Amino acid sequence: MKNFSFYNPTKIIFGAEQIAAISQEVPANARVMLAYGGGSIKKNGVYDQIIAAIGDRLVSEFSGIEANPEFETLVRAAQQVNADNVDFILAAGGGSVIDGVKFIAAAAHYDGDPWEIMTKGGKVVKSAVPFGAVLTLPATGSEMNSGSVVTRAEYKAKLPFGSPLVYPVFSVLDPTTTYTLPVRQVINGVIDPFVHVMEQYLTYPVGAHLQDRLAEAILQTLIDVGPQALAEPENYEVRANVMWCATMALNGLIGVGVPQDWSTHMIGHELTALYGLDHAQTLAVVLPANLRVRKADKLAKLAQYAERVWGITEGSDDEKAEAAIAKTEEFFFNLGAGTRLEHYDLDSSVIDTIIKQLESHRMVKLGENQDVTPDVSRAILERALSND
């Protein structure tokens, strides 16, 4: 096991009717800005619950944070934070809103060009406005981590940043807020945490037995409850387990002391920025192809994954690995996600553009061994084209 330092200060408040607890978590004298997306929180009753809990602390609202939070939108929100002397932000929505608020919180205190937060990384963030979150769409784990992904449409760029200064102070996780999610978002909310786990788990063995078992438990739970979430949208137990899996998949715990990959995410970000695919859709396309192209380097963990997660015990390690990849792809497809570029009407003509974007964003040494070069990324995209 590798050396590690683990820190996560976010308080989780989990369960039905817990939005009211915000009243005890937000400082009594805070000047609060409520930030949210397209307004679904007003349709499902979350907005009214938040307003009741905040009381007279609310001084400002900012709506319209996109599904892929857009830099220009977030800069306007940061300017509003400063204009209204806001000293606490409340994010209400899914991972995109929470990601966006992380950037808003950092940009409001940043003296330079706020795009530097993305291009230079979180190291330039020296302070941030504190914030809390009410999660309504489990998927990204942003409610309990310090990472964020921001899009800048004019550059066709989707880039990550992270800083220990942008952990949520608290996050409220009420599974009942997910009952009315569209089917597509439920599908995404199963695939996204599944691949988050895979990026941290499916690399090479380092003797981190507990981390492996925790990762495998999350994967097995998602395999069990994912289809149930689609079939029984108001099953509290199912929705609670999906929500907690998404949080546990990326709150840092399973990633301590182990190598991590993240090449599937970086390639996927370019697909979203260029062609508008949902984040989880890109993951369902790229991951199976990535595992097939890099199977030899990941063989030991792929065989372990096959045995422990899918119960595949027959055959050579190579045969078990291939069977596990096929099972993974089948799982995504049966949930309702496309697993090939052709499923989104994309063909080989897009590959050169994606590779150029990866190179322009300095994504030229990806993966746990930093050996996913543009040539390897090209091979992955070629493998992801179709079933032929």
Side-chain angles (χ1 to χ4, degrees):
M1 193 187 309
K2 297 175 178 287
N3 295 348
F4 66 86
S5 174
F6 179 68
Y7 169 76
N8 193 316
T10 302
K11 179 178 182 178
I12 296 295
I13 304 165
F14 192 101
E17 301 180 359
Q18 289 300 299
I19 293 175
I22 291 171
S23 63
Q24 304 301 314
E25 302 299 328
V26 177
N29 60 349
R31 294 177 58 83
V32 177
M33 182 174 85
L34 174 62
Y36 51 98
S40 62
I41 65 168
K42 292 187 175 180
K43 299 175 184 176
N44 61 16
V46 169
Y47 177 87
D48 289 340
Q49 293 179 65
I50 290 172
I51 295 301
I54 294 175
D56 59 8
R57 300 180 186 92
L58 183 68
V59 298
S60 181
E61 293 186 27
F62 187 92
S63 62
I65 296 176
E66 301 86 352
N68 292 292
E70 168 59 40
F71 172 76
E72 299 294 344
T73 302
L74 304 180
V75 168
R76 290 199 304 274
Q79 291 169 343
Q80 183 173 316
V81 166
N82 291 329
D84 293 341
N85 295 315
V86 167
D87 52 25
F88 195 94
I89 308 171
L90 189 61
S96 293
V97 171
I98 302 172
D99 275 16
V101 166
K102 290 175 182 177
F103 181 86
I104 294 165
H109 283 189
Y110 191 66
D111 290 334
D113 178 354
W115 187 238
E116 293 175 349
I117 296 171
M118 306 308 303
T119 58
K120 296 183 178 179
K123 62 186 179 183
V124 303
V125 177
K126 304 303 181 185
S127 67
V129 181
F131 70 97
V134 176
L135 181 68
T136 62
L137 198 173
T140 69
S142 191
E143 65 277 4
M144 198 181 180
N145 67 42
S146 60
S148 170
V149 179
V150 172
T151 297
R152 191 165 187 177
E154 64 176 308
Y155 296 164
K156 295 189 180 300
K158 182 176 179 180
L159 300 177
F161 92 96
S163 166
L165 297 170
V166 294
Y167 277 102
V169 176
F170 66 84
S171 288
V172 177
L173 280 60
D174 179 349
T176 67
T177 66
T178 73
Y179 287 175
T180 58
L181 288 174
V183 168
R184 179 165 143 185
Q185 292 183 341
V186 177
I187 295 168
N188 290 347
V190 175
I191 293 172
D192 198 4
F194 193 98
V195 181
H196 285 161
V197 175
M198 295 287 272
E199 297 275 32
Q200 300 165 86
Y201 165 72
L202 228 165
T203 55
Y204 57 84
V206 292
H209 302 302
L210 178 60
Q211 291 91 316
D212 279 1
R213 294 293 189 183
L214 289 171
E216 290 155 1
I218 297 169
L219 295 173
Q220 288 177 310
T221 303
L222 288 168
I223 290 166
D224 289 343
V225 302
Q228 294 178 53
L230 293 167
E232 305 171 48
E234 294 192 14
N235 183 321
Y236 181 86
E237 181 178 310
V238 167
R239 290 303 180 110
N241 277 281
V242 171
M243 183 171 259
W244 190 230
C245 278
T247 302
M248 287 293 292
L250 203 57
N251 65 2
L253 193 60
I254 67 168
V256 295
V258 301
Q260 300 185 26
D261 188 340
W262 298 107
S263 60
T264 291
H265 271 68
M266 296 305 105
I267 296 169
H269 286 169
E270 304 300 350
L271 280 166
T272 296
L274 289 164
Y275 305 110
L277 277 68
D278 293 351
H279 175 57
Q281 291 173 337
T282 73
L283 303 181
V285 168
V286 176
L287 180 69
N290 195 340
L291 295 179
R292 288 190 170 107
V293 168
R294 299 168 61 211
K295 183 168 60 175
D297 290 337
K298 294 177 176 286
L299 191 58
K301 289 301 283 284
L302 272 167
Q304 177 179 306
Y305 168 64
E307 293 171 2
R308 294 186 182 179
V309 175
W310 293 108
I312 300 167
T313 58
E314 300 295 325
S316 66
D317 281 357
D318 187 81
E319 290 168 337
K320 287 186 285 189
E322 182 54 43
I325 297 169
K327 281 283 191 182
T328 305
E329 190 171 19
E330 181 183 15
F331 174 59
F332 295 160
F333 190 78
N334 287 344
L335 283 172
T339 56
R340 301 288 173 153
L341 290 172
E342 67 176 1
H343 295 155
Y344 299 98
D345 298 321
L346 299 175
D347 58 27
S348 59
S349 65
V350 307
I351 293 178
D352 282 345
T353 303
I354 296 169
I355 297 301
K356 287 177 183 176
Q357 285 292 95
L358 285 166
E359 291 173 337
S360 71
H361 297 144
R362 300 191 296 278
M363 302 295 175
V364 294
K365 290 184 179 181
L366 302 174
E368 62 268 31
N369 294 311
Q370 298 288 285
D371 57 358
V372 181
T373 63
D375 286 343
V376 176
S377 294
R378 181 181 296 277
I380 291 167
L381 289 164
E382 289 172 347
R383 196 65 178 263
L385 283 170
S386 70
N387 286 317
D388 296 336

